[in-house]
C-alpha cells in the first residue's frame, strides 16, 4: 500500500472531517496565533520578570524552619538569589549555603553554589536537580561515643518520620496533602571537595 492509496482510503472513511473550509482555517490560525502569543508572553515573564520580583532572602527563615522540622538540621543561606533557565527551571544562587547540626556544628557547606531545579518534573512528582555547582563543597562527619556518625542519627529520624503511618480515626480531621516526591538526576560539580572526619 503506497501513500496515495492510504490517503484515499482515509479520505473515504473520514469523509468531510478532513475537508476544512477557508473560514475554519482562518479561525484555527487566529486561535493558534493568540495561543502562541499568550504562551510567549508567559514564558518571557517567567524568564525576565520573575527573578526580579521574588526575593528569596525573605523566605530563608521559613525554609530553615521547615528543614529543621523535617530533618533536625539547621539550614542557612547567605545572599540567596533566584534565576531562571530556558527549559522552565529555576536556578538558585547564593554566596554560601550551609547545613548544621542542632548545636551549630557544620555538616555541609557550599560556597558560591548554583542549583538548577527542573520545574515541570515537579508536576509529575519528581524533584529533578539538573546541576549543583559550587566553588567548594565541605562535608564534616563526626563520630559519637557509640562509634557511629552523628549524621546517621538524623537520617534515622528522617526515615522514621517518612515511614507510612496508620491513619488515626478522627471525625473532624482535615484532609492532608501527601505528595510523593522522588529526587532524581543529581549532577554535582565542585572545584574543590573536602571531607572532614
Amino acid at each position: 500500500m503506497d501513500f496515495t492509496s492510504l490517503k484515499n482510503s482515509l479520505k473515504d472513511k473520514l469523509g468531510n472531517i478532513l475537508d476544512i473550509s477557508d473560514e475554519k482555517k482562518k479561525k484555527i490560525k487566529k486561535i493558534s496565533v493568540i495561543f502562541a502569543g499568550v504562551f510567549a508572553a508567559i514564558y518571557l515573564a517567567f524568564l525576565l520578570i520573575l527573578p526580579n520580583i521574588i526575593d528569596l532572602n525573605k523566605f530563608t527563615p521559613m525554609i530553615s524552619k521547615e528543614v529543621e522540622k523535617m530533618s533536625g538540621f539547621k539550614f542557612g543561606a547567605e545572599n540567596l538569589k533566584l534565576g531562571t533557565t530556558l527549559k522552565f527551571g529555576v536556578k538558585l544562587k547564593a554566596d554560601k549555603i550551609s547545613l548544621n547540626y542542632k548545636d551549630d556544628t557544620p555538616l555541609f557547606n557550599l560556597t558560591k553554589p548554583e542549583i538548577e531545579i527542573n520545574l515541570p518534573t515537579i508536576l509529575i512528582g519528581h524533584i529533578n536537580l539538573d546541576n549543583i555547582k559550587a566553588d567548594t563543597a565541605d562535608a564534616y562527619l563526626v563520630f559519637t561515643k557509640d562509634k557511629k556518625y552523628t549524621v546517621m542519627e538524623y537520617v534515622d529520624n528522617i526515615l522514621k518520620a517518612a515511614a507510612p503511618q496508620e491513619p488515626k480515626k478522627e471525625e473532624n480531621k482535615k484532609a492532608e496533602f501527601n505528595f510523593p516526591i522522588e529526587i532524581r538526576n543529581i549532577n554535582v560539580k565542585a572545584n574543590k571537595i573536602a571531607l572532614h572526619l
Side-chain angles (χ1 to χ4, degrees):
M1 179 179 267
D2 62 343
F3 181 72
T4 54
S5 61
L6 177 67
K7 183 180 172 184
N8 290 335
S9 67
L10 283 175
K11 194 171 185 178
D12 291 340
K13 290 179 183 176
L14 297 176
N16 293 332
I17 295 175
L18 295 177
D19 294 330
I20 300 174
S21 66
D22 289 335
E23 253 181 66
K24 287 185 181 179
K25 286 181 184 178
K26 287 180 182 179
K27 285 183 181 180
I28 292 172
K29 189 175 181 180
K30 283 182 184 179
I31 291 171
S32 300
V33 168
I34 291 170
F35 180 74
V38 168
F39 180 77
I42 291 171
Y43 187 67
L44 286 174
F46 171 77
L47 286 177
L48 303 174
I49 298 172
L50 185 68
N52 296 320
I53 291 176
I54 297 177
D55 181 18
L56 290 180
N57 292 312
K58 294 178 183 177
F59 299 104
T60 303
M62 181 183 69
I63 294 169
S64 181
K65 284 180 187 176
E66 289 299 317
V67 168
E68 190 169 358
K69 185 171 67 172
M70 183 179 78
S71 66
F73 294 115
K74 291 183 178 180
F75 173 81
E78 295 175 11
N79 197 18
L80 199 57
K81 296 178 185 174
L82 178 72
T84 54
T85 65
L86 293 175
K87 52 184 181 179
F88 276 114
V90 293
K91 186 183 286 189
L92 303 174
K93 298 178 185 181
D95 291 340
K96 183 179 179 182
I97 290 181
S98 61
L99 203 58
N100 298 331
Y101 294 106
K102 289 179 183 177
D103 62 353
D104 288 327
T105 307
L107 168 66
F108 196 75
N109 292 325
L110 292 174
T111 338
K112 299 282 186 195
E114 290 184 11
I115 302 170
E116 292 183 24
I117 301 171
N118 192 349
L119 292 180
T121 58
I122 291 176
L123 297 176
I124 59 171
H126 304 289
I127 293 179
N128 188 358
L129 300 174
D130 286 345
N131 285 313
I132 300 175
K133 298 177 187 175
D135 285 350
T136 59
D138 292 317
Y140 300 87
L141 298 177
V142 180
F143 279 111
T144 62
K145 293 177 185 177
D146 302 334
K147 296 186 180 181
K148 291 184 180 179
Y149 286 112
T150 309
V151 72
M152 293 311 295
E153 294 174 15
Y154 290 90
V155 170
D156 289 340
N157 291 338
I158 292 170
L159 292 176
K160 286 177 186 174
Q165 299 173 357
E166 291 184 27
K168 297 177 183 176
K169 293 183 180 180
E170 294 180 17
E171 293 178 13
N172 296 332
K173 186 178 178 183
K174 294 182 181 178
E176 293 182 15
F177 180 68
N178 292 328
F179 186 67
I181 294 179
E182 300 173 17
I183 297 178
R184 296 181 168 188
N185 302 337
I186 300 174
N187 301 314
V188 180
K189 298 174 187 174
N191 296 333
K192 180 182 170 187
I193 299 176
L195 179 62
H196 306 277
L197 299 173

